[in-house]
């Protein structure tokens, strides 16, 4: 085969560098596209290509990111690799707004768990500690990260300690966010999707690890950082009791977050994935 291009889901890992080195040797005329169709965590620096990797020819010919802002983030350590904003394929649903001002009688806290199961357990224990300060009619939905099952999560948490108010959500992210009044999470880029839909987001930080809050530098009222049970309780009750006017304001803030992080999917934004025959 003689491919014109190779598209790599590019995380700058050893496997990516091996693929690129091998492709350059076997298919020297092929264009290598590094697609980073995900949200960059601020402190997970191995995802970001460096100048030394450029010099060693272990990087793609071009990077594709979900927005111009994401391009600036990805080029933190080198601008030698061209970067284009392209269709945010995984996130197309964030551009769909339905029933924006719908009144919901039973409010729901959606907990989006991080990929590390121990971090997920720590988050749930903190939430359990404050449940007695959250009104009984408020639903608590738990959405696992796909890296582990709900059975594995409950076992790691302690099956006997699992709270009866914790209800597991097994649907997709779009449906999960349609149920949410508030999102509580930790070290998960799914928080950005929630904020882009205009949903208040509470980031629960930890004391002993790097915190990957992709919304940290936005300085928007729609997001709050917490580092204790007391702060978490205060943030939850604040967001549960916002007015209809404030909900509308958050929807507008969400559109700003959406446009900062995501590019809509259409024929024009798909073109960076295709070889330029010129």
């Amino acid at each position: 085969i003689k491919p014109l291009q190779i598209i790599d889901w590019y995380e700058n890992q050893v496997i990516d560098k091996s693929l690129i080195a091998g492709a350059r040797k076997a298919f020297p005329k092929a264009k290598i596209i590094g697609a980073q169709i995900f949200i960059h965590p601020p402190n997970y620096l191995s995802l970001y290509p460096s100048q030394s990797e450029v010099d060693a020819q272990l990087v793609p010919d071009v990077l594709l990111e979900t927005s111009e802002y994401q391009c600036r983030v990805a080029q933190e350590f080198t601008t030698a690799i061209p970067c284009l904003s392209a269709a945010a394929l995984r996130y197309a649903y964030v551009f769909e707004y339905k029933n924006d001002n719908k009144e919901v009688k039973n409010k729901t806290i959606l907990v989006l768990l991080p990929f590390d199961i121990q971090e997920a357990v720590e988050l749930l224990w903190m939430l359990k500690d404050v449940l007695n300060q959250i009104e009984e009619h408020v639903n608590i939905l738990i959405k696992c990260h796909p890296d582990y099952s709900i059975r594995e999560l409950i076992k790691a948490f302690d099956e006997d300690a699992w709270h009866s108010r914790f209800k597991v959500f097994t649907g997709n992210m779009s449906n999960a966010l349609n149920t949410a009044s508030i999102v509580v999470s930790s070290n998960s880029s799914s928080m950005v999707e929630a904020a882009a839909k205009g949903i208040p987001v509470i980031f629960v930080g930890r004391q002993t690890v790097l915190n990957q809050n992709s919304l940290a530098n936005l300085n928007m009222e729609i997001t709050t950082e917490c580092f204790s049970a007391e702060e978490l309780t205060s943030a939850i009750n604040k967001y549960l009791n916002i007015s209809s006017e404030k909900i509308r304001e958050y929807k507008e803030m969400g559109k700003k977050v959406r446009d900062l992080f995501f590019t809509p999917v259409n024929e024009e934004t798909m073109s960076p994935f295709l070889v330029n025959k010129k």
Side-chain angles (χ1 to χ4, degrees), residues 139-155:
N139 301 314
I140 313 293
L141 290 187
I142 311 297
K143 190 175 191 315
C144 287
H145 191 279
D147 278 9
Y148 48 83
S149 67
I150 185 60
R151 181 173 297 181
E152 291 171 315
L153 174 68
I154 293 175
K155 182 179 179 181

Side-chain angles (χ1 to χ4, degrees), residues 37 47 51 65 97 130 163 187 191 206 242 250 267 269:
I37 311 302
L47 296 172
Q51 186 59 46
E65 302 290 338
Y97 276 80
V130 306
H163 202 283
N187 287 4
M191 297 184 304
R206 302 176 70 203
I242 59 176
Y250 285 170
E267 190 169 331
T269 61

Side-chain angles (χ1 to χ4, degrees), residues 224-235:
T224 298
E225 276 193 340
C226 298
F227 290 90
S228 69
E230 293 77 13
E231 291 176 347
L232 177 59
T233 303
S234 176

